[in-house]
Amino acid sequence: MATILLHKKKHIPYWLVPVYACLVVMPFWMAGFLTVMPFSYHFTSQSMSRAAAEIPAASFYQLLRLENHAFQSDEKVGQGTIGWVDAAFQSAAGISLRDPRTFLGKELPGFSIYDSQILIAGEGTDYTNLPVESKKPDDLPVPKEPDEPKENTPPAGEEKVLLYFTHTSESFTPKNGQAPMNITEVGTMIGKSLEEEGIGVSVNKTDIGALLKKKGKKYSASYEESRTVVAAVQKKEPSLSYLIDIHRDSQDKSITTARVNGQDMAKTVFVVGGEHPGYEENARFASSLHKLFEQYYPGLSRGVIVKSGSQTNGKFNQDLSNRAILIEMGGVDNTREELERSAAAVADILARFIKAEQNE
């Protein structure tokens, strides 16, 4: 018997020995790898949720149909192989076959600044004319405006709206020879119109650029500095729940101007930071304002943009309130008259929204 067994062993393929060894060692190796790997790569409910969020709704719907045939009756037309391939690319590499920007944005320097999502496209808005954020401060100094007396202004009640300026140096330099105008002046216009509507408002003109220079910080740290200012104001005045960061777009006047009711006006666009858990509430706020614009000032709003990515802030301090937005008021070439009309329109829309919420 021993002779027979020995004879059989001689015929056992030698390659099976390392295979058996791997099968025994593999579970221990995998357990060790998962233990020592960086925490950010662990399989958690949060990481799985982020991965699932990359799968298009239509593709997820098809997965449900494979498990539950009750969904067969509502089969969507036009969902073919391309949907599954696109979903696989998005989940694995963040690349969409339907959006060429996702291919270029990770390879071309500076191109990822356009890694934005058009949540609502206003008239004429597409991915070729998205708002462009200032990359450096303007040469013009921020004006030192004296606070205007309010004797003739009716009491507006408790202050609810905070208007502030992260990029306080942004200015308008019209090509018609008109004197340059600083972005903080637009805030003064909006604030005055809001008070006339009976809405309490605080216009904070803290010079963020001057604070950065004093602390030796770069222009890219503007939002960090304005966050400190806004948080301090909120602590002092908790009733300020509508936080409006006012900016000026760097796009050409042909993109930032609309003719509404027979008059040229500086177009507006709402920017929502997409890199914090509560951004959807801010997006709903911006979307509601856009719809009011479409109702009362059709064509004035360029829409709602959600911005995220390595080349932008991604929060814009909007995690401080569920009624926080960034609004671009016109562009670098818009005139004072165009901005005055738009400032009145923005105040009108804000007042309508706030009054509607108060009456709910």
Side-chain angles (χ1 to χ4, degrees), residues 221-354:
S222 296
Y223 287 100
E224 298 174 16
E225 202 61 39
S226 65
R227 183 185 186 85
T228 303
V229 173
V230 173
V233 172
Q234 274 189 305
K235 186 176 181 180
K236 185 179 179 181
E237 301 179 71
S239 62
L240 292 170
S241 54
Y242 298 88
L243 311 180
I244 316 295
D245 190 1
I246 303 175
H247 289 249
R248 179 267 296 144
D249 196 356
S250 296
Q251 288 280 22
D252 185 78
K253 186 175 181 179
S254 60
I255 296 174
T256 64
T257 309
R259 194 157 187 83
V260 182
N261 299 327
Q263 293 182 313
D264 286 340
M265 300 177 68
K267 298 185 79 171
T268 65
V269 59
F270 299 103
V271 178
V272 176
E275 294 185 11
H276 65 95
Y279 87 94
E280 291 180 348
E281 279 297 318
N282 301 129
R284 276 190 279 270
F285 175 41
S287 299
S288 298
L289 295 179
H290 171 79
K291 290 176 182 177
L292 287 172
F293 265 112
E294 289 294 280
Q295 182 178 352
Y296 295 100
Y297 304 92
L300 187 59
S301 172
R302 292 165 60 193
V304 181
I305 312 297
V306 177
K307 295 191 71 172
S308 60
S310 61
Q311 298 298 310
T312 190
N313 180 269
K315 282 187 180 180
F316 307 116
N317 303 325
Q318 293 171 7
D319 57 323
L320 296 175
S321 172
N322 61 6
R323 291 291 182 267
I325 55 170
L326 186 157
I327 182 170
E328 303 272 2
M329 294 291 298
V332 66
D333 297 324
N334 282 108
T335 66
R336 178 178 291 273
E337 292 77 19
E338 293 163 351
L339 289 160
E340 285 175 344
R341 297 177 191 126
S342 295
V346 169
D348 178 36
I349 293 305
L350 277 171
R352 290 178 186 274
F353 180 88
I354 294 170

Side-chain angles (χ1 to χ4, degrees), residues 49 70 111 133 135 140 151 180 263 296 315 332:
S49 177
F111 195 88
E133 192 172 9
K135 285 300 179 183
L140 297 169
E151 290 105 6
Q263 293 182 313
Y296 295 100
K315 282 187 180 180
V332 66

Side-chain angles (χ1 to χ4, degrees), residues 58 62 75-83 98:
Q62 288 187 358
E75 182 176 356
K76 306 294 182 183
V77 178
Q79 299 295 333
T81 307
I82 184 65
R98 294 184 174 89

Side-chain angles (χ1 to χ4, degrees), residues 92-241:
I95 293 174
S96 173
L97 300 179
R98 294 184 174 89
D99 189 353
R101 296 176 306 123
T102 59
F103 291 89
L104 300 174
K106 293 176 173 54
E107 302 299 331
L108 299 181
F111 195 88
S112 56
I113 190 172
Y114 296 100
D115 188 16
S116 305
Q117 175 192 359
I118 299 178
L119 189 63
I120 301 179
E123 184 178 330
T125 299
D126 55 39
Y127 283 106
T128 67
N129 55 26
L130 293 175
V132 177
E133 192 172 9
S134 301
K135 285 300 179 183
K136 61 180 182 179
D138 292 348
D139 295 330
L140 297 169
V142 178
K144 303 295 183 181
E145 298 180 19
D147 293 331
E148 297 180 2
K150 299 183 179 182
E151 290 105 6
N152 298 325
T153 303
E158 188 177 42
E159 292 183 343
K160 294 184 175 297
V161 180
L162 172 65
L163 304 178
Y164 70 102
F165 316 88
T166 293
H167 292 156
T168 42
S169 65
E170 288 182 334
S171 299
F172 302 87
T173 53
K175 295 179 180 178
N176 63 354
Q178 195 175 79
M181 175 181 167
N182 184 261
I183 188 64
T184 58
E185 297 181 62
V186 178
T188 300
M189 296 173 185
I190 297 174
K192 184 177 180 180
S193 295
L194 278 172
E195 288 179 340
E196 291 173 354
E197 293 283 350
I199 302 296
V201 59
S202 173
V203 183
N204 189 292
K205 299 178 184 179
T206 301
D207 192 342
I208 302 300
L211 291 178
L212 291 173
K213 186 176 181 180
K214 182 179 179 181
K215 297 179 180 181
K217 294 183 177 181
K218 295 182 179 180
Y219 187 68
S220 57
S222 296
Y223 287 100
E224 298 174 16
E225 202 61 39
S226 65
R227 183 185 186 85
T228 303
V229 173
V230 173
V233 172
Q234 274 189 305
K235 186 176 181 180
K236 185 179 179 181
E237 301 179 71
S239 62
L240 292 170
S241 54

